[in-house]
Amino acid sequence: MRVPRIRKPWRLVAEATALLVAAVVAFPLYWMVLSALKPAGEVQSTEPRPWTLHPSLDAFRRVLDQEDFGRYFLNSLLVAGTVVIASALIAFLAATAVTRFKFRFRTTLLVMFLVAQMVPVEALTIPMFFLMRDMGETVPAIGLNTLGSLILPHIAFSLPFAIWMLRGFVRAVPESLEEQAALDGASRTRFLWQILFPLVLPGLVATSVFSFISAWNDFLFARTFIISDTENSTLPMALLVFFKDEGNDWGGIMAASTLMTIPVLIFFVLVQRRLVSGLGGAVKE
């Protein structure tokens, strides 16, 4: 008779802890979706329950019936997509430069990347407002009330983290690989895009997740830089419609938040495999 194997106590504790942490993390998402599906009477009830026997899609209908909601969605998608692509390409080239080439003040530049991460975004919002206003007089595409005023700051804020993280991936690629490619007749440009780029792609995906979430969920810059041209507003700004003086529409707020979360989940599903390998480590020689 086969005797069942008893798991080690520490493993049981680790698994139980992991399940508990997962439940704590998932509960706010569950409550958000539940509140979006509850009728208005249950959402405003003084005795909230973690379930509903009468699910309703009225809150989602109110959100989708809002004027320009589709435009806000496309604006957010355009801003986040542009930030992801631009920051990934720039960070890849910059990380390769600071890793493969030796030049003066290279260490100082890397330290500045870390210092830039330590500065609170709120402390730079007002100076950036005046910067966007002045730059808009020369380049209208990145002035106030334009999507460029949202794209440019997000690229700037995502680059330090992306460059610092990709630096480890580029360094992990052995220099002998580049020498072998040169012996085979490959130019530096060809090595950069056909050999090095695929090897550090997991790291690019990991940094792209950070850039996408930061740009997609941004409210501070959208509230500050988009003043009067509401056509260039993004999804977080659409939530303000449901905050009213006579009472907040919590069902609409939760429904809009649920719709905002769906693209993030889709993005995670698409890059899941690359993300796991990117967070797990770089290429080994």
Side-chain angles (χ1 to χ4, degrees):
M1 182 180 297
R2 186 177 180 180
V3 179
R5 185 178 61 179
I6 301 177
R7 295 184 178 182
K8 297 180 180 180
W10 63 267
R11 184 172 181 178
L12 292 176
V13 173
E15 292 178 353
T17 304
L19 290 176
L20 179 61
V21 172
V24 172
V25 173
F27 182 77
L29 297 176
Y30 167 76
W31 196 264
M32 176 183 68
V33 177
L34 178 66
S35 300
L37 295 175
K38 281 184 176 182
E42 293 187 19
V43 174
Q44 301 176 359
S45 175
T46 57
E47 299 179 357
R49 297 177 180 179
W51 67 81
T52 178
L53 299 178
H54 307 284
S56 174
L57 297 177
D58 290 340
F60 290 96
R61 294 191 186 96
R62 292 197 301 273
V63 172
L64 296 177
D65 288 341
Q66 287 294 326
E67 186 178 1
D68 293 332
F69 184 84
R71 180 186 295 272
Y72 295 160
F73 180 87
L74 293 178
N75 289 342
S76 293
L77 196 62
L78 177 61
V79 171
T82 304
V83 169
V84 168
I85 296 175
S87 61
L89 293 177
I90 297 174
F92 170 66
L93 296 175
T96 304
V98 298
T99 304
R100 296 293 187 182
F101 303 110
K102 295 182 180 180
F103 51 89
R104 295 183 61 184
F105 306 113
R106 184 178 66 168
T107 304
T108 305
L109 183 62
L110 292 174
V111 173
M112 290 298 297
F113 289 151
L114 289 179
V115 173
Q117 290 292 109
M118 301 177 184
V119 180
V121 178
E122 294 78 8
L124 300 177
T125 302
I126 295 178
M128 290 185 63
F129 172 84
F130 292 109
L131 179 63
M132 293 295 105
R133 184 195 63 181
D134 297 339
M135 292 181 63
E137 298 177 358
T138 306
V139 186
I142 59 176
L144 297 177
N145 293 315
T146 64
L147 295 180
S149 64
L150 302 179
I151 294 173
L152 189 61
H154 279 296
I155 293 176
F157 277 100
S158 62
L159 280 178
F161 171 78
I163 294 173
W164 188 265
M165 185 171 182
L166 287 178
R167 177 171 169 264
F169 283 85
V170 176
R171 176 184 290 181
V173 177
E175 296 183 3
S176 59
L177 191 62
E178 184 176 0
E179 296 174 357
Q180 293 174 5
L183 291 176
D184 291 337
S187 62
R188 176 163 290 175
T189 302
R190 185 176 180 182
F191 169 80
L192 185 69
W193 295 108
Q194 295 187 5
I195 300 177
L196 184 61
F197 184 82
L199 291 176
V200 302
L201 186 59
L204 283 170
V205 171
T207 57
S208 297
V209 170
F210 169 79
S211 302
F212 181 84
I213 294 177
S214 177
W216 183 265
N217 294 331
D218 171 64
F219 178 82
L220 181 61
F221 289 161
R223 182 64 171 172
T224 305
F225 300 150
I226 307 299
I227 304 174
S228 56
D229 193 354
T230 56
E231 291 185 353
N232 289 329
S233 296
T234 52
L235 275 181
M237 294 291 293
L239 293 176
L240 296 178
V241 178
F242 302 99
F243 289 91
K244 303 176 182 179
D245 295 335
E246 60 273 14
N248 300 329
D249 183 3
W250 291 110
I253 296 172
M254 294 297 103
S257 301
T258 302
L259 294 176
M260 286 180 57
T261 307
I262 293 176
V264 179
L265 295 178
I266 294 175
F267 184 76
F268 266 101
V269 171
L270 294 177
V271 302
Q272 179 183 7
R273 293 184 179 180
R274 295 285 185 178
L275 177 62
V276 172
S277 58
L279 296 178
V283 181
K284 295 183 180 179
E285 184 172 4

